[in-house]
Amino acid sequence: MRAIQITEFGGPEVLVPVELPDPVPGDGQTLVEVDRAGINYADTHQAENSYLAKQELPMVPGGEVVGRTPDGRRVVALLGTGGYAEKAVAPTTTTWDVPDGIDDVTALGMIVQGVSAWLLLRRSTHLEPGESVVVHAAAGGVGTLAVQLAKAWGAGRVIATASSPEKRALALDLGADIAVDPKEPDLKAALIEANHGRRVDVVLEMTGGSVTDQSLTALAPFGRLAFYGMASRELPKPVQPANLMSHSTTVAGMWLAHVFQLPGDVMGTALDELFGLAADGRLKVVSGGEYGLSEVRRAHEDLRSRRTTGKLVLDPSR
């Protein structure tokens, strides 16, 4: 089968098209003939071995696929590695049937980005109706869905940030009340001004560095910041517990892998709600483009340079 393999860690240049034997599922695994694989920002960290989970070489990257099982079921699946290929094996416990009417891009957009947005708003920050929400990187995979979910769940004001006028326009089209350039010299003041002069209640943040620092200082009493990525690869300042107490603020971290340690089927519950909203036309995955296996380096370059919006997918047939 055709696949992308990494034999040394690094940037996009380490993604090499190869021919590999077909994977063979073991006990508790499901074989999937891949129609599309998701491309996530986390994959760029996986390629350079800078993500939360350490990687081993050689490796076929890619953590999510949609396709068919040998018995004809159409499924979407999470897997640790192996997604950038014509065939993949996934744990049966992280393989879900795709409802009729849900296309490949929507299925892939929901399984990581959609569930991440769901968890950030539902569990990490416990969004209440009427509260203000800042969504950083609002034109990205998680951001586009978080903007829509915040509005659907009654947020009083959704403030999007994005790095270009086109991306800010997209966030507004998706329902954000106002869009801000995150490169504003005084981002704290810009966020407060965007919230009619009031500090903000909730911030979803995946940039790192000064964006995190200024967003934290823009929080209202009992405001919550959920940190789920560091796209800039710049560390924010250490958080001082005394400062949290003095302002009654909360900082949460979120890594999707931990959803499987929660009691009950939280992942299934989230997907059911997300697919239902998509089927009703109340939630849409923004397609950010499709790449063939031969174009995967360009996909990672586009991600790292922030040229992309929405959900990117890989077509292993070309």
Side-chain angles (χ1 to χ4, degrees):
M1 69 171 186
R2 297 173 68 239
I4 297 296
Q5 189 178 61
I6 295 173
T7 58
E8 60 178 325
F9 293 119
E13 72 281 354
V14 305
L15 301 165
V16 180
V18 296
E19 289 285 339
L20 294 176
D22 289 355
V24 178
D27 291 341
Q29 292 183 318
T30 298
L31 178 67
V32 181
E33 186 167 342
V34 179
D35 290 326
R36 300 290 187 278
I39 304 174
N40 296 312
Y41 200 91
D43 299 350
T44 69
H45 287 287
Q46 190 179 51
E48 63 186 14
N49 200 26
S50 63
Y51 203 48
L52 295 173
K54 295 302 178 184
Q55 308 298 316
E56 295 183 1
L57 298 175
M59 173 182 65
V60 175
E64 59 186 29
V65 297
V66 62
R68 298 278 179 179
T69 63
D71 61 1
R73 292 166 51 220
R74 183 162 170 261
V75 299
V76 63
L78 285 178
L79 46 152
T81 58
Y84 289 12
E86 292 182 308
K87 295 181 181 180
V89 292
T92 302
T93 54
T94 59
T95 302
W96 296 270
D97 290 329
V98 179
D100 292 340
I102 299 296
D103 61 40
D104 287 350
V105 173
T106 299
L108 287 171
M110 294 305 187
I111 197 171
V112 170
Q113 282 92 357
V115 173
S116 293
W118 190 97
L119 288 167
L120 288 163
L121 292 168
R122 282 270 197 249
R123 297 191 68 110
S124 297
T125 62
H126 302 281
L127 175 66
E128 295 286 345
E131 290 188 316
S132 56
V133 181
V134 175
V135 180
H136 287 300
V142 175
T144 52
L145 292 164
V147 165
Q148 296 174 75
L149 286 176
K151 293 299 289 187
W153 292 339
R157 189 160 176 83
V158 175
I159 302 160
T161 79
S163 59
S164 71
E166 295 78 13
K167 290 183 177 182
R168 292 193 287 274
L170 172 61
L172 293 171
D173 288 343
L174 292 172
D177 296 290
I178 190 169
V180 174
D181 187 343
K183 298 186 292 292
E184 286 282 348
D186 190 343
L187 181 58
K188 170 188 173 182
L191 295 178
I192 292 173
E193 180 181 356
N195 196 36
H196 298 310
R198 298 187 296 272
R199 290 174 178 265
V200 299
D201 299 306
V202 170
V203 176
L204 308 186
E205 158 58 356
M206 55 80 68
T207 306
S210 65
V211 173
T212 306
D213 299 335
Q214 295 193 67
S215 298
L216 183 58
T217 61
L219 287 175
F222 294 100
R224 292 88 68 200
L225 182 148
F227 188 76
Y228 67 100
M230 197 164 57
S232 70
R233 289 166 167 79
E234 296 177 2
L235 289 171
K237 295 176 182 177
V239 175
Q240 301 298 326
N243 290 340
L244 298 179
M245 183 177 66
S246 65
H247 296 285
S248 296
T249 50
T250 298
V251 176
M254 198 284 289
W255 185 27
L256 182 61
H258 290 138
V259 72
F260 300 105
Q261 298 180 24
L262 295 172
D265 185 11
V266 176
M267 186 81 181
T269 298
L271 281 174
D272 285 346
E273 183 171 4
L274 293 168
F275 285 147
L277 288 169
D280 291 342
R282 300 177 60 200
L283 183 64
K284 69 175 181 178
V285 172
V286 175
S287 177
E290 182 174 287
Y291 300 78
L293 278 178
S294 61
E295 302 170 304
V296 70
R297 291 184 182 179
R298 180 166 63 85
H300 277 226
E301 290 167 356
D302 290 346
L303 270 173
R304 293 178 66 128
S305 64
R306 302 187 188 182
R307 290 194 291 264
T308 66
T309 58
K311 182 63 185 174
L312 309 186
V313 299
L314 180 73
D315 180 356
S317 70
R318 61 182 182 89

